[in-house]
Amino acid sequence: MATTSKVKTIGVLTSGGDAPGMNAAIRAAVRRGLQQGVQMKGILKGYDGLMNEEIIDMTARDVSDTIERGGTILYTARCAEMRTPEGQKRAAETCRKYGIDGLVVIGGDGSFAGAQKLAALGINTVGVPGTIDLDIACTEYTIGFDTAVNTAMEAIDKVRDTSTSHERCSIIEVMGRNAGYIALWCGIANGAEDILLPEKYDYDEQKIINNIIENRKKGKKHHIIINAEGIGHSTSMARRIEAATGIETRATILGHMQRGGSPTCKDRVYASIMGAYAVDLLIEGKSDRVVAYRNGEYVDYDIDEALAMKKQLPEYQWEIAKALSYNYSK
Ligand code: ADP
Ligand code: F6P
């Protein structure tokens, strides 16, 4: 199909931490762009690939058999140089050299900050929210969260089985350095006794210990504590709890397994729509935008506006998470 758009060539990159569903977004961007008569290029390893000119042409075939795969076929990286004005200039120059007049950046807030800098240098950019942490303020959905939280939930169920058999206490650390969404969701989904989130750091360890002792007296066989990565020290906390309660306590850190694996149906579908939407925006001549999902609709925001927004942990969800735990409902 011939294009009337001024944008002739669109590049796609993934940046920051990878997330299941990124491939669905890449595939959708590539196929939507080709369908609209635009040339599509893949930039490898995020902004690093722009610095080092690691750029490939992408055909519809290149994204075959990728929607079901975890990770990102374009690879990802953290690129310190992109944070400097010289690096940003270099990245914009690479775009111009390769005729890339539109860029889809799939990543988190940091990656969007890079896109914002490129937009200021005249490269049309659109961000797509890709992070398992769900910590992008402008959107209720981020690529990878659904898969990650399901992976963590299944793992926690398994730990709970052995924890009950051995009548132990278990601390399970999930990802989220600055955000507690995975911990909060798993806290509800796995029926945890305690949920520790970076947003609610003022937890009382002595209270947790007292609850474990009291619950044990009432015959409870296990005690599950879900700890967001941002709280940290899960292993030393386990040692302290064991010493104070006399109940065997183990820490399990789920780690990067939460970032891998085949994406869920939700991640495949939402990521596909967002990837295509980003290309549509560029073809319409828009730039400096972020794709989002809000109030049941796919929408877009100015990047400055999106980055200035603050995300608040849903207080009612937090209240109910606590209300449903054995500690508080008795
Ligand atoms: P995420 O995109 O998941 O938030 P990072 O914060 O690690 O992940 O950011 C990914 C990359 O985006 C960084 O390695 C860097 O190349 C680029 N980046 C981050 N912040 C900025 C910034 N303020 N200006 C320009 N580029 C940035
Ligand atoms: O993808 C987001 C995230 O998983 C955070 O929760 C975590 O702090 C970070 O990535 C760790 O990433 P890496 O180990 O790649 O630095």
Side-chain angles (χ1 to χ4, degrees):
M1 190 197 281
T3 180
T4 50
S5 162
K6 281 195 198 136
V7 173
K8 305 281 184 234
T9 304
I10 292 177
V12 187
L13 64 81
T14 48
S15 164
D18 64 346
M22 280 184 163
N23 287 330
I26 297 165
R27 171 179 175 272
V30 168
R31 292 203 171 160
R32 180 62 165 172
L34 294 171
Q35 182 224 2
Q36 296 295 320
V38 172
Q39 267 195 40
M40 296 300 300
K41 289 188 189 288
I43 295 133
L44 305 180
K45 305 178 202 165
Y47 293 119
D48 240 22
L50 277 180
M51 303 299 159
N52 302 318
E53 302 186 22
E54 292 189 72
I55 296 170
I56 54 172
D57 290 328
M58 296 205 79
T59 65
R61 182 99 188 261
D62 292 325
V63 289
S64 292
D65 293 325
T66 62
I67 196 163
E68 74 284 11
R69 281 163 55 191
T72 159
I73 56 165
L74 292 177
Y75 307 99
T76 186
R78 295 199 164 88
C79 172
E81 205 181 337
M82 186 63 194
R83 294 175 186 270
T84 67
E86 299 73 38
Q88 291 151 15
K89 216 167 134 238
R90 197 163 147 203
E93 275 160 14
T94 308
C95 287
R96 275 189 267 277
K97 180 170 168 188
Y98 284 80
I100 294 170
D101 40 19
L103 187 65
V104 177
V105 172
I106 306 167
D109 277 342
S111 304
F112 296 164
Q116 183 186 40
K117 303 290 172 11
L118 287 178
L121 293 170
I123 308 299
N124 298 317
T125 57
V126 174
V128 173
T131 168
I132 65 163
D133 289 345
L134 195 68
D135 61 346
I136 300 178
C138 68
T139 182
E140 291 155 18
Y141 167 81
T142 63
I143 296 172
F145 174 75
D146 190 58
T147 306
V149 88
N150 276 288
T151 301
M153 181 190 73
E154 284 175 21
I156 295 166
D157 279 346
K158 289 174 180 154
V159 175
R160 184 194 180 115
D161 288 344
T162 168
S163 190
T164 307
S165 305
H166 288 261
E167 299 184 63
R168 282 175 176 157
C169 169
S170 290
I171 301 177
I172 300 147
E173 184 175 307
V174 297
M175 272 193 157
R177 195 172 292 162
N178 303 309
Y181 293 94
I182 298 178
L184 178 58
W185 279 61
C186 287
I188 296 173
N190 295 97
E193 274 65 43
D194 286 289
I195 311 166
L196 308 183
L197 313 174
E199 294 89 341
K200 305 277 176 192
Y201 196 83
D202 58 345
Y203 65 94
D204 181 347
E205 199 167 295
Q206 190 55 49
K207 209 166 147 200
I208 295 173
I209 289 167
N210 296 344
N211 276 329
I212 295 170
I213 296 170
E214 202 191 315
N215 291 346
R216 186 51 60 103
K217 280 189 198 148
K218 289 180 180 158
K220 196 146 175 56
K221 299 289 185 205
H222 63 250
H223 191 103
I224 303 289
I225 301 169
I226 298 184
N227 205 358
E229 181 190 340
I231 297 286
H233 58 86
S234 299
T235 308
S236 56
M237 192 186 288
R239 277 198 294 270
R240 286 194 300 274
I241 289 176
E242 182 165 311
T245 61
I247 296 166
E248 269 193 319
T249 303
R250 296 282 191 271
T252 304
I253 297 169
L254 297 184
H256 289 88
M257 55 117 55
Q258 294 160 93
R259 286 225 303 242
S262 180
T264 59
C265 180
K266 178 171 180 173
D267 273 326
R268 295 180 198 195
V269 173
Y270 281 52
S272 295
I273 294 167
M274 285 187 161
Y277 189 122
V279 164
D280 284 351
L281 288 174
L282 289 166
I283 290 173
E284 282 167 30
K286 306 247 175 79
S287 176
D288 211 7
R289 309 293 296 172
V290 176
V291 178
Y293 184 82
R294 231 170 144 128
N295 301 324
E297 279 183 78
Y298 297 93
V299 291
D300 54 283
Y301 291 96
D302 178 81
I303 294 190
D304 296 357
E305 200 190 329
L307 289 177
M309 290 182 192
K310 296 273 173 279
K311 194 159 194 162
Q312 299 294 340
L313 199 84
E315 283 300 326
Y316 186 66
Q317 194 175 338
W318 172 236
E319 185 195 323
I320 297 304
K322 289 190 294 179
L324 300 183
S325 99
Y326 185 81
N327 287 340
Y328 298 90
S329 59
K330 57 190 183 302

